[in-house]
Amino acid sequence: MTTTTISHSESFRAGKALGLDHRKLGMWLFLATEVMLFGGLLTAFLHTKLRQPGLSVTAESLLLVGLNTFVLVTSSFMVAQALDAARRDLKGRLRLYLLATAALGAVFLAGQAYEFSLLAQEGLTLTGSLFGSAFFTLTGTHGLHVLIGVAWALASLLGALRRRGLSPIRVEIFGLYWHFVDIVWLVLFTVIYLV
Amino acid sequence: MKRRAVLVVSIIFVVALVCGYLVAANVNLLPEVASTRGELMQRLFNYLLGAATVVFVLVEGLLAYSVLRFRRRPGDQGEGAAIHGNAGLEVFWTAIPALLVVVIAVYSFRVLSAGEAASEKSMVVEVIGRQFAWEFRYPEQGLTSSDLHLPVGTPVRFEITSEDVIHSFWVPNFLAKRDATPGQVSEFDVTPSEVGVFPVRCAELCGPGHAAMVSQVIVESPEAFEAWIERMANLPSDPTEAGRLLFGRYGCTGCHVLADAGASGLVGPSLEGIGARAGETVPGLDADAYLRQSILEPRAHIVPTYLENIMPADFATRIPPQELDLLVRYLAGR
Amino acid sequence: MTASTLGTHSTPSIRRYFGWSTDHKVIGIQYLVTTFGFFLLGGALAILIRTELFNPGTDLFNGTEYNRLMTNHGSVMLFLWIIPVLAGLGNYLVPLMIGARDMAFPRMNALSFWLLFVAGVVMIGSFFVGAAESGWTAYVPLSIEAPAGQTLWAVSVILLGTSSMLGAINFLTTIATMRTEGMAFMRLPLFVWSMIATSLLALLATPVLTVGLVLIALDRVVGTVFFSVAQGGDPILWQNLFWFYSHPAVYIMVLPAMGIVSEVLPVFSRKPIFGYTMIAFSSIAISLLGITVWAHHMFTSGMDPRLRVPFMISSMIIAVPTGVKIFSWLATVWEGKLRFTTPMLFALGFISMFLIGGITGIFLASIPVDLHVHDSYFTVAHLHFVLFGGSVFAVYAGLYYWYPKITGRMYDERLGKGHFWLNFVGTNLTYLPMFLAGLLGMPRRVADYAPEFTLVNQLASVGALLLAVSTVPFLYNVVVSWVTGPKAGDNPWGAKTLEWQTTSPPPEHNFVELPVVTGMPYDFGEPLGVPAAAPAGAGD
């Protein structure tokens, strides 16, 4: 008696031969679109900055934003640890590191909100000037991506709390996204505050 | 088989070359050329047209030949020759077009450089685009006009900008255009080479009046140009003549009908007999007040069926009071 | 023997096509039907335009109404018809052609279609609140001041871009990871190669347009000042962001069309495709080069004059891989045994008319020539030759070619040929005279023109009527043949690619047994996919 079923692994034979997991490949391709998205926003920002140099960086501002950068980089380290825990099936550690990631992401967002309010008090607003429009749109888009990442981290945490836990591939794919958001911030930080 | 192929291709190629030559030498698809840069472009264009004809006849010829010659005979269920490629041929038809485009690019670059060469002796004319009329300012002569007068043979540097949205300053007979972009001044060098009257058209969508945004360039002898400047600098003493001149200068002729001013524009309402009706159109406004307001605030009293956002709304900043008086007086008398 | 659960010939009930399905074949048909509806809408707008332009002067529409017709004609045709219809054909065909059972991400695939549907509703919705009227290119500052529909237009295009990007991720992942055994990259059908090249562009270029549209939307809705000249904004920034996507977009619109031509020609010449490798690589070359040419749309913008030259060079270089394809196609039909079925006619028509579009592209790439003909009817003629004479003809070729596979029935050949000739004559009549009008000085996007252009416009309007009429035999053919046409069988054309090695229409999971590939897709005389050994106890 033969019942032919569709084998899932049979479907992705070619991927396995190339050493590519289709879900990871999908995430890499998505990240490629995100590179172009931030590339476009950065172009608009740089174009604006050349026409209207705007942001004079105060020492406090740089300190605050520098701290925030450190927070985000640490959160990436947390994600790396989470992946390691997932691969070694250490459920407790996985949950802890996911929580840490989400928490650090939230701290980053709070820091950004505070920095925005400081800038607003100094007169830099979204609609008040060309530079303001460019600055807040660029950093705001990044913040939106961090927010989505925090939500994803929490959703992953919920998944990790279940009995069957969270598979390493899912943690890895989340990690790709989170590291990307972190790297974008490093570029933004450099272009906006250090150049 | 291969020999037959080479023979057919060669014949079609020779035919293509002949067609290309005939077209390049005899076919003129461009309007009358009235600028020196245009003359350079025309030659380039004709060469391109010839080359294009060769390629066109060659490819379409081979296609037509194949369609006629290689039609499957009824009942023939066999297959064609299992030819997958030919390295030499593929290199050939990659290299030759590559060479061709290099030649075209180099020739184009040279025409571009020669055509855009600025001159120290250029006369500056500022071109201001606004919805939906062109304004031409002559800073060296201190005057403004809605027609573009130019002396033949004198290099002109156009400094082009816009007061509102992007327009594009195109004189088809000059064979070149440049966009009028708000917030920037674009430089555009032309030397007119033929006397005549040529249209000026807007070539960038700028709103409902885009098609109506036309003017004209009058290329004339240097003497005639000087005479025009004289006339523009001094208004005639006769108020009717002065009014008629101002009616043209501010571009009213482009959109309105008024036989006395030689105007046959169809964009806005006709102004024939406007003098008689101006006092009766809006209760409470006499002719003078109605005419004045209709010029300075065009949105105030739109004639039914006409769009309300076509007539320029900034005449208050552009027409000095005494000229406005003359204009209103002129219209009151039509 | 037990019947395989995969062997069901089930043609899904018609209700399945109106809802959420993750079957790529259902999604493909949803795309084809929906986009063709938008094609008819875009065509109706064109007929209104050509009626207005039959005579100079304002006849039926004032300037504002005309600008809305013209803007939405272009936007509907580009964003709601030609880009998605090719994605739809790709959706239906790619898994079949590579020997897979579906796309890599079936749910994301369904999402792509429904994003298109919603985007279409939004764009049509914009007609009712003051339609977009700044051209499909939406140059600022004009588009910032336009009425409410312009924002909906921007939202619609953002949704479409998202649909397109998700589709690109899906196609690339599917092709990379789901090819059946023996389907090496260099054995892929050329249509699949064209989808790889197209997906690269959709992936990388679309986000930049999204950025531009977001900036416009923010300016309009929130009050940012990106494009406010008074605040120091630069209108040229929009042009750069827009064209960075929109030039590659035209290759998104034409590469799959070229892929279709490469599928059709060998089958109806009974000869292998000539120069498979170079055609495959030329698709990738066009894709990559296509990202480097965008500012050739901005030669008259007042951009730095020196920067124009590299863009002229890259725009000319891109003619070379395009030429490679045309010559390879000629060599394919040469010494073949040509059968002039409807798909073959449309494929040959593509070559003859895309040639005109491509040649005139060289004219436009030459800066001195472009400075004259930019934004004139020369450009309008060029774009319609490549998009209508080119892409639309190829789409028709594909629709007729794969009609028997999709429906299981054969269309009526005579109606098909009639459709072709109406289209061929109509296209040439409509667009050839436009080259002349542009050269002589007729700008584009005008509701009115100088009397000297009247004859050209009248010829074009008559041609447009022929094109409109041509859709009648097509629609009749599609509908009636689906119901009463003769059964087509699995492989009525005797083709070699994998979609023809399964039933018409294919079963739910495409293949009873996944095929194993042993040869090239256009090797006439040799069988292509040989199924793996039948399970013990199965019948013949």
Side-chain angles (χ1 to χ4, degrees):
Chain A
M1 149 151 156
T2 324
T3 318
T4 324
T5 54
I6 310 155
S7 157
H8 184 84
S9 60
E10 185 188 47
S11 299
F12 296 99
R13 240 199 89 265
K16 288 196 173 39
L18 288 173
L20 288 172
D21 179 285
H22 68 285
R23 291 159 298 183
K24 264 199 279 181
L25 178 59
M27 175 50 76
W28 278 109
L29 292 171
F30 172 70
L31 291 179
T33 70
E34 293 273 84
V35 167
M36 298 307 292
L37 185 86
F38 280 101
L41 284 170
L42 269 164
T43 303
F45 175 80
L46 282 168
H47 182 73
T48 303
K49 186 163 173 162
L50 287 172
R51 284 162 84 87
Q52 267 191 13
L55 196 62
S56 62
V57 181
T58 64
E60 305 156 322
S61 193
L62 199 50
L63 185 64
L64 174 61
V65 175
L67 265 170
N68 238 7
T69 305
F70 178 72
V71 164
L72 207 58
V73 171
T74 307
S75 73
S76 262
F77 178 66
M78 295 292 123
V79 172
Q81 292 298 98
L83 179 57
D84 178 63
R87 285 194 174 129
R88 295 197 282 161
D89 201 25
L90 298 169
K91 293 195 171 57
R93 279 206 200 178
L94 171 60
R95 294 166 192 159
L96 194 66
Y97 284 122
L98 284 174
L99 183 63
T101 304
L104 288 169
V107 168
F108 174 85
L109 287 172
Q112 285 293 86
Y114 182 59
E115 165 74 1
F116 286 4
S117 70
L118 286 180
L119 290 170
Q121 273 163 24
E122 286 170 32
L124 190 70
T125 60
L126 179 66
T127 59
S129 68
L130 180 62
F131 188 84
S133 293
F135 173 83
F136 284 108
T137 302
L138 178 59
T139 53
T141 304
H142 176 261
L144 191 62
H145 280 75
V146 174
L147 184 64
I148 291 171
V150 169
W152 194 343
L154 291 172
S156 300
L157 178 59
L158 278 173
L161 285 167
R162 280 198 300 252
R163 274 203 71 197
R164 54 185 165 89
L166 195 65
S167 65
I169 183 94
R170 288 189 189 278
V171 180
E172 190 174 359
I173 289 175
F174 166 67
L176 283 172
Y177 176 80
W178 190 267
H179 292 315
F180 170 77
V181 173
D182 189 5
I183 292 172
V184 168
W185 173 252
L186 292 173
V187 174
L188 255 51
F189 173 65
T190 308
V191 168
I192 298 175
Y193 292 96
L194 298 183
V195 169
Chain B
M1 283 255 258
K2 198 168 173 187
R3 234 176 303 143
R4 194 252 309 270
V6 173
L7 184 65
V8 169
V9 174
S10 305
I11 292 175
I12 295 180
F13 182 60
V14 168
V15 170
L17 282 177
V18 170
C19 292
Y21 173 75
L22 288 173
V23 164
N26 295 298
V27 172
N28 181 29
L29 300 178
L30 294 173
E32 181 191 343
V33 180
S35 72
T36 55
R37 65 185 296 162
E39 283 159 16
L40 294 170
M41 189 285 246
Q42 182 180 45
R43 223 165 296 137
L44 167 66
F45 183 84
N46 282 342
Y47 276 115
L48 279 180
L49 196 61
T53 304
V54 173
V55 173
F56 180 81
V57 172
L58 179 66
V59 175
E60 304 282 8
L62 288 170
L63 202 56
Y65 179 81
S66 301
V67 161
L68 295 169
R69 180 75 183 71
F70 302 119
R71 179 182 286 267
R72 181 186 68 118
R73 311 274 174 258
D76 182 356
Q77 294 298 332
E79 303 195 333
I83 299 171
H84 293 265
N86 180 315
L89 195 53
E90 295 181 58
V91 167
F92 179 77
W93 69 41
T94 309
I96 300 297
L99 195 61
L100 191 58
V101 298
V102 167
V103 169
I104 293 174
V106 170
Y107 184 11
S108 299
F109 177 74
R110 290 163 76 146
V111 167
L112 180 66
S113 308
E116 300 227 311
S119 163
E120 287 100 50
K121 304 182 280 102
S122 285
M123 178 179 80
V124 172
V125 177
E126 294 168 4
V127 177
I128 297 107
R130 56 166 72 77
Q131 291 165 316
F132 297 98
W134 293 106
E135 181 186 325
F136 306 104
R137 282 194 210 144
Y138 294 76
E140 294 161 23
Q141 293 85 353
L143 56 88
T144 297
S145 168
S146 62
D147 289 337
L148 179 60
H149 283 249
L150 296 173
V152 67
T154 305
V156 180
R157 163 154 289 187
F158 291 109
E159 293 178 353
I160 308 176
T161 188
S162 163
E163 296 281 299
D164 40 42
V165 299
I166 300 180
H167 302 271
S168 189
F169 173 65
W170 187 25
V171 182
N173 296 87
F174 287 168
L175 298 194
K177 66 170 64 70
R178 193 61 43 97
D179 289 359
T181 307
Q184 76 181 50
V185 177
S186 300
E187 288 170 350
F188 179 41
D189 296 299
V190 181
T191 304
S193 60
E194 291 292 325
V195 166
V197 179
F198 310 107
V200 175
R201 301 201 172 106
C202 177
E204 183 61 59
L205 178 70
C206 54
H210 171 55
M213 194 164 162
V214 295
S215 179
Q216 48 188 22
V217 53
I218 297 102
V219 182
E220 51 202 354
S221 69
E223 297 76 38
F225 179 71
E226 290 302 323
W228 173 74
I229 297 196
E230 277 285 305
R231 285 199 310 277
M232 290 293 282
N234 310 299
L235 284 177
S237 47
D238 175 61
T240 306
E241 271 188 54
R244 190 180 295 125
L245 191 83
L246 291 169
F247 188 80
R249 183 176 299 180
Y250 287 106
C252 318
T253 51
C255 294
H256 296 283
V257 170
L258 189 59
D260 183 80
S264 52
L266 296 172
V267 181
S270 166
L271 298 178
E272 292 295 352
I274 186 71
R277 6 178 238 283
E280 320 286 314
T281 310
V282 176
L285 285 183
D286 65 8
D288 187 275
Y290 172 76
L291 288 167
R292 207 167 281 270
Q293 188 175 32
S294 295
I295 293 172
L296 299 181
E297 298 167 42
R299 316 275 189 269
H301 309 293
I302 299 292
V303 172
T305 79
Y306 287 93
L307 288 179
E308 69 168 38
N309 47 357
I310 307 275
M311 180 164 163
D314 61 348
F315 284 122
T317 61
R318 290 163 53 194
I319 308 182
Q322 64 272 33
E323 291 188 1
L324 183 61
D325 289 340
L326 282 165
L327 200 46
V328 168
R329 186 173 155 179
Y330 170 72
L331 289 169
R334 303 295 119 235
Chain C
M1 179 201 66
T2 316
S4 159
T5 57
L6 303 178
T8 40
H9 252 264
S10 53
T11 317
S13 82
I14 199 128
R15 258 182 297 124
R16 217 176 142 200
Y17 294 95
F18 287 89
W20 177 276
S21 164
T22 55
D23 180 334
H24 74 98
K25 298 183 294 299
V26 172
I27 294 172
I29 293 173
Q30 288 176 318
Y31 263 101
L32 293 177
V33 173
T34 307
T35 55
F36 200 85
F38 289 131
F39 178 52
L40 294 175
L41 173 62
L45 293 170
I47 292 301
L48 291 175
I49 290 171
R50 292 271 23 124
T51 307
E52 169 63 49
L53 292 179
F54 188 79
N55 279 315
T58 304
D59 308 302
L60 303 166
F61 304 107
N62 62 40
T64 300
E65 290 163 342
Y66 181 85
N67 289 345
R68 291 176 179 180
L69 289 176
M70 171 270 295
T71 297
N72 289 285
H73 163 72
S75 304
V76 166
M77 286 302 205
L78 297 173
F79 292 122
L80 298 179
W81 157 241
I82 199 69
I83 291 178
V85 72
L86 292 169
L89 267 174
N91 235 312
Y92 192 96
L93 293 169
V94 167
L96 285 165
M97 283 181 159
I98 66 173
R101 301 204 184 278
D102 207 311
M103 298 278 274
F105 306 113
R107 283 171 302 183
M108 194 166 80
N109 204 16
L111 181 63
S112 279
F113 168 71
W114 286 105
L115 280 171
L116 164 72
F117 186 84
V118 171
V121 168
V122 170
M123 194 172 287
I124 292 174
S126 76
F127 296 177
F128 298 100
V129 294
E133 55 187 66
S134 314
W136 83 278
T137 51
Y139 274 17
V140 300
L142 186 65
S143 59
I144 303 293
E145 308 165 1
Q150 189 79 40
T151 307
L152 286 181
W153 177 91
V155 168
S156 170
V157 180
I158 291 174
L159 290 173
L160 285 159
T162 308
S163 164
S164 187
M165 278 187 284
L166 295 179
I169 294 173
N170 227 336
F171 282 119
L172 289 169
T173 307
T174 303
I175 295 167
T177 63
M178 297 180 78
R179 287 162 293 120
T180 191
E181 188 179 335
M183 181 59 83
F185 275 98
M186 298 315 288
R187 286 180 176 164
L188 285 171
L190 288 168
F191 178 75
V192 179
W193 271 107
S194 76
M195 290 307 295
I196 295 175
T198 303
S199 299
L200 285 171
L201 289 174
L203 193 76
L204 299 175
T206 315
V208 180
L209 177 70
T210 306
V211 169
L213 290 168
V214 166
L215 299 189
I216 284 188
L218 286 175
D219 266 21
R220 287 177 55 89
V221 176
V222 167
T224 50
V225 294
F226 288 104
F227 304 118
S228 163
V229 172
Q231 298 267 42
D234 183 6
I236 309 288
L237 175 65
W238 162 255
Q239 292 183 31
N240 275 300
L241 292 172
F242 176 82
W243 286 116
F244 187 85
Y245 164 76
S246 296
H247 191 86
V250 314
Y251 298 118
I252 292 173
M253 298 168 202
V254 98
L255 283 168
M258 293 174 158
I260 294 171
V261 172
S262 294
E263 294 298 324
V264 169
L265 288 182
V267 173
F268 298 107
S269 309
R270 308 313 295 172
K271 265 186 78 203
I273 192 85
F274 190 99
Y276 169 92
T277 306
M278 287 301 280
I279 296 183
F281 285 173
S282 74
S283 297
I284 303 296
I286 291 171
S287 177
L288 296 176
L289 278 169
I291 300 178
T292 67
V293 304
W294 81 91
H296 70 221
H297 298 270
M298 297 166 56
F299 285 154
T300 67
S301 66
M303 64 184 281
D304 185 324
R306 297 160 299 181
L307 280 179
R308 297 178 301 187
V309 178
F311 287 102
M312 169 169 75
I313 294 172
S314 58
S315 303
M316 297 224 178
I317 292 177
I318 209 165
V320 177
T322 312
V324 163
K325 284 185 195 269
I326 292 187
F327 294 124
S328 298
W329 288 328
L330 284 180
T332 302
V333 301
W334 187 268
E335 301 269 355
K337 298 193 186 220
L338 308 185
R339 264 187 75 194
F340 298 112
T341 57
T342 304
M344 183 62 158
L345 287 173
F346 274 106
L348 293 170
F350 173 100
I351 298 174
S352 75
M353 286 189 292
F354 184 81
L355 179 71
I356 297 175
I359 289 176
T360 51
I362 297 283
F363 280 83
L364 288 161
S366 166
I367 301 172
V369 178
D370 185 72
L371 294 181
H372 177 55
V373 297
H374 171 72
D375 261 345
S376 76
Y377 260 77
F378 187 92
T379 308
V380 176
H382 161 78
L383 76 91
H384 283 95
F385 265 99
V386 284
L387 287 175
F388 198 97
S391 300
V392 173
F393 267 59
V395 168
Y396 278 137
L399 291 176
Y400 281 106
Y401 180 58
W402 283 295
Y403 185 89
K405 176 55 54 181
I406 295 172
T407 66
R409 308 240 179 202
M410 185 53 77
Y411 61 84
D412 181 298
E413 243 328 306
R414 273 175 324 165
L415 282 174
K417 290 189 160 70
H419 176 216
F420 169 75
W421 286 110
L422 277 170
N423 256 304
F424 188 75
V425 173
T427 303
N428 283 298
L429 184 60
T430 308
Y431 304 116
L432 276 176
M434 288 184 183
F435 284 120
L436 202 56
L439 288 166
L440 291 175
M442 182 173 173
R444 72 184 287 196
R445 297 180 165 159
V446 287
D448 188 12
Y449 50 82
E452 71 225 50
F453 302 118
T454 306
L455 179 61
V456 165
N457 275 280
Q458 293 185 331
L459 288 172
S461 294
V462 170
L465 196 61
L466 282 180
L467 292 177
V469 165
S470 82
T471 56
V472 174
F474 173 74
L475 287 167
Y476 181 83
N477 204 350
V478 165
V479 171
V480 174
S481 302
W482 205 324
V483 180
T484 66
K487 286 227 193 302
D490 295 351
N491 192 357
W493 309 125
K496 305 286 182 182
T497 42
L498 289 183
E499 76 272 24
W500 300 105
Q501 316 309 323
T502 186
T503 58
S504 299
E508 188 177 346
H509 297 289
N510 294 350
F511 302 97
V512 174
E513 313 256 355
L514 286 182
V516 173
V517 175
T518 56
M520 294 292 286
Y522 315 107
D523 264 356
F524 288 95
E526 297 165 19
L528 177 55
V530 177
D540 60 314

